[in-house]
Amino acid sequence: MNSEFAHTFYKCFIKDDRYKLILGGIRITIEVSLLAILLGLVIGFLIALCNLSKKKGLNAIGKVYTDIIRGTPSVTQLMIIYFVIFASIDWPKWIICSIAFGINSGAYVSEIIRAGILSVDKGQTEAGRSLGLNAKQTMWKIIVPQAVTNIFPAMCNEFITLVKETAIVGYVGLVDIQKAGDFIKSATYVAFMPLIGTAVIYFVMIKILTIFLGKLEERMRRSAQR
């Protein structure tokens, strides 16, 4: 049994340097996820401000964007952005995929930020204005810092979900962890080992991210209590 397992492991990951496919897939997954998270934060914050704006034009833009992105599958958005919008632009695949996921994540992040800002007591705004701060200063110095603490757990969940969603980049030919596993499965005609291997890698990555974000959240709460 052990020799059979070792032989299958060798066949799937060692033979023909197939482990390099997995390592390359891990790098792609990390690159796409990090850039998408940054874009999602920026887009989400801007859309949240649009949704909170009293100007009908900005409010309409925010709502339309949120409705469209949340109402369509992420894989469809990825394919539209890659094969239609960026079809004539010679950019690296991983950057285009990151943009697609950033746009998708931005809609969900915007709702998290909007809810976080609205969760701050209105008296905080009044207190800021009574201290002589204008609307922008009150938002940045009083409301946003409190909102960040409130929304951080939900934001962590969104980041974790985003990392797992990147597994669909194989639809546009980008070799991430999942696609690397598919290549190994096709080359070896063995399904169990490559699929379990990719699942374990994703689990370990998510676990490390969860631990890191948990410690960061704990540190933020300590700072807020001081």
Side-chain angles (χ1 to χ4, degrees), residues 110-163:
S110 69
E111 288 299 290
I112 294 172
I113 294 175
R114 184 182 68 84
I117 291 175
L118 291 176
S119 70
V120 178
D121 190 271
K122 291 183 179 180
Q124 299 293 319
T125 302
E126 296 172 357
R129 299 308 294 270
S130 66
L131 291 173
L133 301 177
N134 58 36
K136 290 183 179 179
Q137 291 173 328
T138 301
M139 176 64 73
W140 283 104
K141 294 183 177 181
I142 296 178
I143 305 301
V144 170
Q146 295 182 63
V148 168
T149 303
N150 294 338
I151 68 177
F152 192 78
M155 202 71 78
C156 291
N157 289 333
E158 170 59 24
F159 293 160
I160 290 170
T161 300
L162 178 61
V163 173

Side-chain angles (χ1 to χ4, degrees), residues 32 35-37 39-40 43 65 69 72-83 85-86 91-108 158 162 165-166 168-169 172 174:
V32 172
L35 182 54
I37 287 170
L39 291 174
I43 294 172
Y65 172 86
I69 297 301
T72 54
S74 55
V75 64
T76 304
Q77 297 166 17
L78 173 64
M79 296 179 77
I80 289 173
I81 290 172
Y82 185 85
F83 291 111
I85 297 176
F86 284 88
W91 283 8
K93 288 183 179 181
W94 75 272
I95 291 181
I96 298 175
C97 290
S98 298
I99 293 172
F101 284 111
I103 291 172
N104 177 271
S105 181
Y108 297 93
E158 170 59 24
L162 178 61
E165 283 187 347
T166 61
I168 64 174
V169 296
V172 297
L174 192 60

